[in-house]
Amino acid sequence: MSRPGLAGAPELLSRIAREYGTPAYVYDLAAVGSAAVALTADLPAPSGLVYSLKANPHPDVVGRLLADVDGAEVSSSGELAAALAAGCPPEEVVYTGPGKNLRQLVEALTAGVRRFSVESLVDRDRLADACERTGTDAEYLVRLNLPRGSARGALRMTGRPTAFGTELADTEAVAALLRARGRARPVGTHTFSATNVEDPAALLQEFHNAVAAVRLVCDTADFTPRLLALGGGFPAPMARPGALVRHPDLAAGLASGLDATFPGWRRGRPRILFESGRYLTAAAGTLLTRVLDVKSSGGRTFVVLDAGVHVLGGMTGLGRLMSPGARPLTVGGSGDGEETEVTLAGPLCTPLDVLSASTRLVGPRPGQLLAVPNTGAYGPTASLLGFLSHPGPVEVVVDGPRVRGARRLVVNSEEVAPRV
Ligand SMILES: *Cc1c(COP(=O)(O)O)cnc(C)c1O
């Protein structure tokens, strides 16, 4: 079996598990850097790339990425603080999100952020109010909800009923958004149709569709954009073996589309901006977990791990959890015996705590160390950290073979005084 990334360094992983305990995420900064280099090389030039902190806000990961990309995409006070603490100049922040409140906007403007993605007239007017209050000017991108495109196997953000953006059919709202309000001024558009688009041809098609739709919107409103944020959708394997795909045809394909629609783009009129979270971080992460128990029920083997949905993949919706379908690899000298089909359960007292309904493990036994590859994106902060009050997983940062440090996310409870 191929052992990608850190799974190819069993001594290092065994040592980290011994010294820091499990469950432990290990983030390799060298792998973060090479993902950024690969993605940048696959994008049309000139263009910018910002890191979406949602995928992994760990300070060292953010710090490493900000050295390699052109800024940060944030959508909360915590993400903004993490980007600024990592040294991101506030003018390189893009502040996004469908529900920004006045306090958040005032705080961002006060910190020096000047670029926002606005999702509706209400959102835009709230930004204008925040500008008024703080005595600052802001530029904004109009987030458009485009008609359904072609991406297959992807999590769609637009093109169907969604809370994101303003739909093109609402022509009055789109036209109004492309006119300034107070100290808030439109400078371009923001489109982001799908995430984790696994087929490079489908991803290119998504970008073509977006560029064509934006051209039409700009023509209709007689609007000259200075910045087109085209989103992302760059895919990465999650919690299973696999390598990052490259996009060898994207740069040339998209460049010719842009030549036809926005011919000034090669001189930065408009500037083209991409966003990525998972592609930049997924492959850099490995989750170490130990087997706590092995038992059988109804003819099925259950392997109980110390990592459950409080640590990995625990994003929940409507009382239902999607199991991350994890496929761990064994670490160190535990690889003898029969391969068995097993269910991977976590330690939480709920039948929803399943990391994989069915996968194969060699000779599972208590104490065995497993490594779940490609877990650098949407790990701890996308999990049910507070559920059942276990300590958060350790997050160990390595750079090649050297351990740089270890931290733990803590869920805290604090007293709140009533507002006056
Ligand atoms: C979540 C998000 C991203 C990052 O998506 P990935 O699939 O992790 O690359 C980028 N832009 C916006 C606006 C997002 O909401």
Side-chain angles (χ1 to χ4, degrees):
M1 191 192 307
S2 80
R3 307 214 137 203
L6 283 171
E11 294 81 20
L12 178 63
L13 294 181
S14 300
R15 180 161 67 82
I16 288 172
R18 227 173 26 247
E19 291 180 358
Y20 295 98
T22 57
Y25 277 90
V26 186
Y27 304 133
D28 182 6
L29 297 184
V32 168
S34 51
V37 168
L39 185 52
T40 305
D42 286 350
L43 296 176
S47 63
L49 172 65
V50 293
Y51 173 50
S52 300
L53 266 76
K54 182 175 65 184
N56 188 333
H58 189 286
D60 293 353
V61 171
V62 178
R64 175 63 210 247
L65 273 171
L66 290 178
D68 289 328
V69 302
D70 307 298
E73 187 257 317
V74 307
S75 59
S76 71
S77 307
E79 287 186 349
L80 175 59
L84 297 177
C88 185
E91 58 276 16
E92 290 179 9
V93 168
V94 189
Y95 206 114
T96 68
K100 302 182 271 304
N101 63 37
L102 189 65
R103 182 189 50 73
Q104 266 175 289
L105 293 168
V106 165
E107 179 189 68
L109 287 165
T110 307
V113 177
R114 294 293 176 265
R115 251 186 316 169
F116 296 80
S117 166
V118 307
E119 304 234 0
S120 69
L121 280 174
V122 171
D123 196 27
R124 193 278 306 273
D125 292 351
R126 199 173 282 139
L127 175 63
D129 287 350
C131 288
E132 207 54 54
R133 263 181 207 226
T134 50
T136 49
D137 299 318
E139 301 186 334
Y140 66 84
L141 303 167
V142 177
R143 176 130 183 211
L144 299 171
N145 178 359
L146 301 181
R148 181 180 279 284
S150 63
R152 292 178 290 271
L155 179 59
R156 295 207 62 87
M157 313 285 282
T158 55
R160 57 170 185 170
T162 153
F164 295 107
T166 296
E167 62 182 348
L168 293 191
D170 196 348
T171 49
E172 271 177 41
V174 172
L177 282 165
L178 291 172
R179 291 191 295 270
R181 161 88 188 249
R183 306 183 75 144
R185 202 157 44 90
V187 292
T189 58
H190 182 199
T191 49
F192 183 46
S193 333
T195 175
N196 207 19
V197 182
E198 284 170 6
D199 173 5
L203 184 59
L204 177 56
Q205 192 56 50
E206 286 287 336
F207 285 128
H208 280 315
N209 294 349
V211 168
V214 168
R215 181 69 264 171
L216 201 62
V217 164
C218 292
D219 287 345
T220 309
D222 198 15
F223 177 78
T224 306
R226 286 201 282 121
L227 181 61
L228 299 188
L230 295 179
F234 309 103
M238 170 130 188
R240 68 196 64 195
L244 291 173
V245 299
R246 296 294 300 268
H247 296 85
D249 302 325
L250 183 67
L254 191 49
S256 68
L258 286 166
D259 283 340
T261 46
F262 292 95
W265 79 279
R266 288 184 189 269
R267 288 171 288 114
R269 289 186 217 142
R271 281 185 57 221
I272 307 297
L273 190 66
F274 296 94
E275 298 148 19
S276 174
R278 78 180 68 233
Y279 193 95
L280 296 174
T281 56
T286 303
L287 171 62
L288 294 174
T289 172
R290 245 183 236 290
V291 175
L292 292 173
D293 205 346
V294 180
K295 56 178 71 164
S296 122
S297 169
R300 175 160 273 290
T301 303
F302 284 80
V303 173
V304 183
L305 307 175
D306 61 7
V309 292
H310 60 313
V311 163
L312 176 71
M315 290 208 281
T316 182
L318 295 175
R320 200 170 66 89
L321 277 174
M322 283 208 307
S323 131
R327 278 174 49 201
L329 309 162
T330 51
V331 180
S334 48
D336 23 273
E338 288 272 294
E339 206 180 48
T340 320
E341 194 197 323
V342 300
T343 295
L344 296 177
L348 306 185
C349 304
T350 164
L352 296 176
D353 192 15
V354 171
L355 289 196
S356 175
S358 171
T359 186
R360 304 188 74 79
L361 273 187
V362 175
R365 55 173 174 72
Q368 191 176 38
L369 183 63
L370 305 179
V372 189
N374 290 315
T375 46
Y378 302 107
T381 59
S383 298
L384 298 174
L385 266 184
F387 189 40
L388 269 125
S389 305
H390 284 283
V394 184
E395 294 180 284
V396 181
V397 173
V398 302
D399 201 343
R402 205 169 65 83
V403 174
R404 298 248 316 223
R407 311 175 64 86
R408 186 196 303 284
L409 274 173
V410 175
V411 178
N412 216 345
S413 160
E414 61 182 15
E415 243 173 84
V416 180
R419 292 190 209 190
V420 281

